[in-house]
Amino acid sequence: MAVKKIASDTLDFILESCRSSHPHEFGALLEADGDVITHIIYLPGTDATTQSVSINTWMLPNMRHAGTVHSHPSGIARPSGQDLIFFQTGEVNIIVGSPYTRKSWNAFDRGGNKIQIEIVDYEFQDEGLLDEDLMGEDDG
């Protein structure tokens, strides 16, 4: 199934991650539920500078990913030649330019062609333990 959407909360998390990493680039992999990008996968050993980000895909657990996301602190949200090589790892590749707002990102296919990704509300399923599970049973 082709990825055509991104969860609003996921996009906001990506934008905040890019802001927090500035002036260094931010980079991660994208995970989708059906046709909606829902999560990012930040891999151990990811190395970022003000000019580039290197993601060690050999650290990826045995799981499928939908594409990549990375920031361009320069503000230019278009792929470079190096980005086009990086894009081969996924179906959808997002570049977020400074100032990291909902107006400063673009999505691209593997060939570097701009594609439209719709921002949607998405109801996340509770995938983890509840706070009560972490605290144990009440003594009371």
Side-chain angles (χ1 to χ4, degrees):
M1 176 176 286
V3 176
K4 299 177 181 173
K5 304 170 188 168
I6 186 168
S8 178
D9 290 342
T10 302
L11 178 58
D12 290 342
F13 182 78
I14 289 169
L15 297 174
E16 182 57 36
S17 297
C18 293
R19 280 191 290 274
S20 294
S21 297
H22 189 85
H24 291 95
E25 287 195 12
F26 168 79
L29 301 178
L30 300 170
E31 185 177 26
D33 179 12
D35 67 344
V36 181
I37 297 166
T38 55
H39 295 87
I40 67 163
I41 306 164
Y42 188 81
L43 296 177
T46 297
D47 185 36
T49 70
T50 58
Q51 300 294 315
S52 67
V53 64
S54 174
I55 296 175
N56 292 317
T57 54
W58 57 270
M59 292 294 290
L60 183 65
N62 188 18
M63 60 188 296
R64 184 179 175 277
H65 65 282
T68 65
V69 59
H70 74 281
S71 65
H72 281 181
S74 67
I76 300 170
R78 293 187 315 269
S80 66
Q82 189 64 34
D83 289 338
L84 294 176
I85 295 168
F86 186 53
F87 284 2
Q88 298 310 302
T89 64
E91 178 183 339
V92 174
N93 300 280
I94 295 175
I95 298 177
V96 185
S98 178
Y100 315 115
T101 67
R102 286 195 173 203
K103 293 183 180 182
S104 65
W105 69 280
N106 289 311
F108 303 91
D109 64 16
R110 286 184 181 182
N113 302 300
K114 191 173 176 180
I115 57 174
Q116 294 299 314
I117 299 291
E118 179 184 2
I119 303 169
V120 297
D121 289 329
Y122 178 87
E123 189 167 329
F124 290 87
Q125 301 300 314
D126 184 14
E127 298 170 359
L129 297 172
L130 299 175
D131 288 339
E132 304 87 59
D133 293 333
L134 295 174
M135 300 300 292
E137 293 186 31
D138 277 335
D139 294 329

